[in-house]
Amino acid sequence: MSAVRTKFVILAAALAFLVAMAEAHSWADCVDWRFKDPKKEGWSTKDGECFGWARKFPVTSKTPFGDLDSASPNRHYQQNPKDFTSCSDGKHGREPGADETRQNPISKAYGGRYGTMASGKAGDMMCVRWPAKNHAVKNEKDRGVFISMPPSPTTSDPKQKDLDDMVIAKLSYKNCSNISGDTDHTPCGGCFKIPSDRKPGTYMVQWRWELNDNEWYTSCWDLKVDAATKTKPKSKAGCPANLETGL
């Protein structure tokens, strides 16, 4: 291969990498993130640990945090405004993403090569983590992350138009533990409370992020709500004052 051709190949690869970075979009990485110090917020591995994951999250793939946009299938799912399918089925959407539809039984989406299903009690604080993917920078507007949860246990995934009426929290997308020089893999997150009126059962929960006007990305998971104890339930993680946990 000539020196000129070698330089061309290297340049093309570099440009492809930059385009991929510019087009990278986010997803929910961990859906039950717990701080090692409940009084200290942090989204990097030194600050906490994950106890629950989105549906079919490939925890055994050893893919580094934030790199599942280049995996096959990738995790970022952009809804198509023509149908707004609530959870990716790997087929629909402007970016199909990975299959996050409800499994039968639900356990098929968890365990083994997949992550653990999240659980908690009504009133518990739950924290969710996601990679910034270059979109938590100063020149981008923070349109927020919306957390939706039905009022009663689910037997099927609600339609998006119904989930829009089930929003229980709006979180700041740009609430991150900044990594100097790497706006792609910077970890971000936010916390919300499981509503106190939720009865024991398994609920579908949706993470929905608006990047631009009517440009939505979602991640879905199942949350097992256990019966409350007689004593006041304790939060599993602290919720810093700068997080917006309600509407």
Side-chain angles (χ1 to χ4, degrees):
M1 183 181 292
S2 67
V4 173
R5 181 172 175 75
T6 300
K7 289 182 179 178
F8 176 79
V9 171
I10 293 174
L11 178 60
L15 288 173
F17 175 74
L18 290 174
V19 169
M21 282 187 64
E23 296 180 347
H25 302 128
S26 194
W27 59 88
D29 167 76
C30 172
V31 301
D32 186 3
W33 180 258
R34 304 184 195 180
F35 304 126
K36 292 179 180 178
D37 181 352
K39 296 181 180 180
K40 184 180 179 181
E41 169 192 337
W43 306 103
S44 64
T45 52
K46 66 180 178 61
D47 301 313
E49 185 177 353
C50 189
F51 288 82
W53 306 84
R55 290 172 176 168
K56 291 188 173 181
F57 201 91
V59 294
T60 61
S61 69
K62 300 187 183 302
T63 304
F65 172 78
D67 278 355
L68 286 172
D69 52 354
S70 57
S72 180
N74 62 51
R75 294 301 296 191
H76 57 81
Y77 161 56
Q78 182 185 354
Q79 292 179 310
N80 188 331
K82 292 182 179 180
D83 57 46
F84 279 124
T85 302
S86 56
C87 301
S88 171
D89 59 6
K91 300 175 183 178
H92 294 85
R94 289 188 171 176
E95 294 176 26
D99 184 2
E100 288 189 335
T101 53
R102 181 187 176 94
Q103 299 298 296
N104 186 18
I106 290 175
S107 59
K108 288 178 64 176
Y110 304 96
R113 59 178 173 162
Y114 303 133
T116 306
M117 186 170 73
S119 65
K121 296 181 177 66
D124 275 358
M125 192 72 69
M126 304 292 294
C127 297
V128 186
R129 186 177 75 157
W130 57 84
K133 305 312 298 177
N134 304 305
H135 295 296
V137 292
K138 291 182 179 179
N139 64 345
E140 289 208 28
K141 183 179 180 180
D142 188 343
R143 297 170 184 268
V145 169
F146 298 83
I147 304 296
S148 295
M149 181 180 180
S152 57
T154 47
T155 56
S156 61
D157 291 339
K159 295 184 180 300
Q160 189 59 56
K161 65 178 182 179
D162 297 321
L163 286 168
D164 291 344
D165 294 327
M166 299 174 181
V167 176
I168 60 171
K170 180 182 178 182
L171 312 177
S172 168
Y173 180 81
K174 297 166 69 170
N175 184 60
C176 308
S177 297
N178 293 321
I179 299 177
S180 179
D182 187 352
T183 58
D184 184 36
H185 296 86
T186 289
C188 311
C191 302
F192 66 94
K193 280 189 176 182
I194 299 175
S196 59
D197 62 353
R198 295 306 190 263
K199 297 179 179 179
T202 302
Y203 297 73
M204 174 267 210
V205 185
Q206 183 195 57
W207 175 98
R208 194 176 191 228
W209 165 51
E210 185 178 27
L211 173 56
N212 298 304
D213 288 341
N214 217 33
E215 181 182 352
W216 296 94
Y217 297 83
T218 78
S219 287
C220 297
W221 67 95
D222 301 290
L223 173 62
K224 183 176 180 292
V225 176
D226 298 316
T229 57
K230 293 182 179 180
T231 57
K232 184 178 180 180
K234 296 181 179 179
S235 296
K236 296 181 293 181
C239 185
N242 66 329
L243 295 189
E244 185 178 0
T245 57
L247 297 178

